[in-house]
Amino acid sequence: MRLQVFLSRSGVCSRRRALELIKEGVVSVDGQVITEASFPVDSDKHSVSLGRKKIILKSNTYVLLNKPKGVTSTRLDKHAKITVMNLLPARFRHLYPVGRLDKDTEGLLLLTNDGDLTHKLSHPKFNVDKTYAVGIAGRLKNAHKIKLERGVFLEGKKTYPCRIGIINMSGKTTRLRIIIHEGRKRQVRRMFYSLGYTVVWLKRLSEGPLNLGGLKSGQCRLLTNKEITGLLEFVSGK
Ligand code: URA
């Protein structure tokens, strides 16, 4: 593992801060100062220190939450009545949400202390598919579906191509699935709004290989070993 990754995975700092610390010459491996972020470290063989403090590589924790509507997904929000941290048992409160879900959006939210994974799942350049179940007011015209799939302009920047599958159009509502791989602010809502539709409910069902499955609203659980391996393999190919 690269020295920079070792530091961020140990939980002492972010990846960016790890790079700064390495460049500042305060990180040593087996007593020798290393200023190369890509220096290879084997956690079983090497002893890494920050100043005089030995850094222990903590194992990472991965928790899946089915975020209910009305809950803020940021860790600290002075104005929020309830955040996802309020839903987690104390032993998981050191974790960080991967990306965000709007207060009014429900569904899959991964929380972890694995900074590398967070970066890869959140950044659009890694093309991680996210599937949402969407309910919109009105009947989605086919021409609009095609427009949305090809990309619409939000604040002057076109959205990446996406896929939409209509589930049903009953009365005055359209239920559909949309798969996007960006995470722009309120992206799904704003995409539909740009063509005159209002999203009445929105739920994230999956992100990369992770699925919400039968997890009930407001409940969380640790990922299984199989899910963790699948997730790490998925991002290692990115
Ligand atoms: N798109 C939105 O509009 N909101 C979310 O929370 C996620 C995607």
Side-chain angles (χ1 to χ4, degrees):
M1 172 185 333
R2 300 164 74 229
L3 181 56
Q4 182 187 4
V5 174
F6 180 96
L7 282 180
S8 63
R9 284 211 183 151
S10 67
V12 288
C13 59
S14 65
R15 275 167 69 100
R16 185 176 299 167
R17 183 70 189 127
L19 183 61
E20 288 168 1
L21 291 169
I22 296 165
K23 294 260 187 271
E24 283 167 21
V26 290
V27 180
S28 53
V29 178
D30 293 340
Q32 193 148 17
V33 170
I34 302 293
T35 53
E36 200 50 62
S38 58
F39 186 87
V41 177
D42 181 335
S43 54
D44 292 334
K45 291 191 194 141
H46 294 127
S47 163
V48 179
S49 304
L50 178 59
R52 290 188 178 179
K53 192 167 171 258
K54 186 167 157 46
I55 306 299
I56 310 290
L57 189 64
K58 280 193 268 157
S59 61
N60 288 319
T61 306
Y62 304 87
V63 167
L64 195 65
L65 170 73
N66 184 349
K67 184 185 97 59
K69 224 176 134 168
V71 176
T72 306
S73 62
T74 40
R75 260 174 74 88
L76 294 170
D77 184 341
K78 297 200 286 276
H79 307 292
K81 281 206 184 95
I82 171 162
T83 79
V84 286
M85 291 301 135
N86 300 114
L87 300 177
L88 297 179
R91 68 184 195 284
F92 295 148
R93 292 206 191 121
H94 62 297
L95 303 178
Y96 289 82
V98 178
R100 60 174 169 232
L101 276 185
D102 297 337
K103 189 171 164 214
D104 292 332
T105 303
E106 48 186 324
L108 184 152
L109 187 68
L110 176 68
L111 296 111
T112 182
N113 51 349
D114 183 340
D116 195 41
L117 178 91
T118 301
H119 175 67
K120 289 192 165 160
L121 284 180
S122 316
H123 204 288
K125 80 173 180 201
F126 294 109
N127 289 341
V128 177
D129 281 348
K130 297 163 188 103
T131 307
Y132 294 86
V134 191
I136 59 166
R139 297 172 79 84
L140 181 65
K141 290 195 181 125
N142 196 43
H144 286 159
K145 174 178 176 284
I146 294 167
K147 262 193 181 171
L148 287 161
E149 286 180 323
R150 288 184 179 158
V152 288
F153 282 91
L154 301 179
E155 284 156 355
K157 191 171 170 256
K158 202 170 183 184
T159 56
Y160 282 91
C162 67
R163 278 168 284 154
I164 294 178
I166 306 290
I167 308 291
N168 72 20
M169 292 199 213
S170 62
K172 293 183 180 143
T173 321
T174 305
R175 289 175 53 213
L176 55 93
R177 294 267 191 280
I178 183 168
I179 305 178
I180 59 171
H181 61 247
E182 297 165 277
R184 291 166 66 180
K185 201 166 177 215
R186 296 177 76 79
Q187 178 164 342
V188 175
R189 292 175 196 276
R190 290 194 299 140
M191 283 172 74
F192 284 95
Y193 191 68
S194 74
L195 296 177
Y197 299 93
T198 304
V199 169
V200 286
W201 51 265
L202 183 59
K203 180 173 186 175
R204 182 153 66 198
L205 302 177
S206 72
E207 178 163 17
L210 289 181
N211 279 294
L212 202 50
L215 192 64
K216 294 211 173 73
S217 178
Q219 305 254 292
C220 68
R221 66 164 175 85
L222 283 166
L223 292 194
T224 62
N225 286 338
K226 196 168 164 217
E227 282 173 320
I228 296 171
T229 312
L231 191 57
L232 297 180
E233 271 172 13
F234 174 80
V235 295
S236 74
K238 296 275 165 199

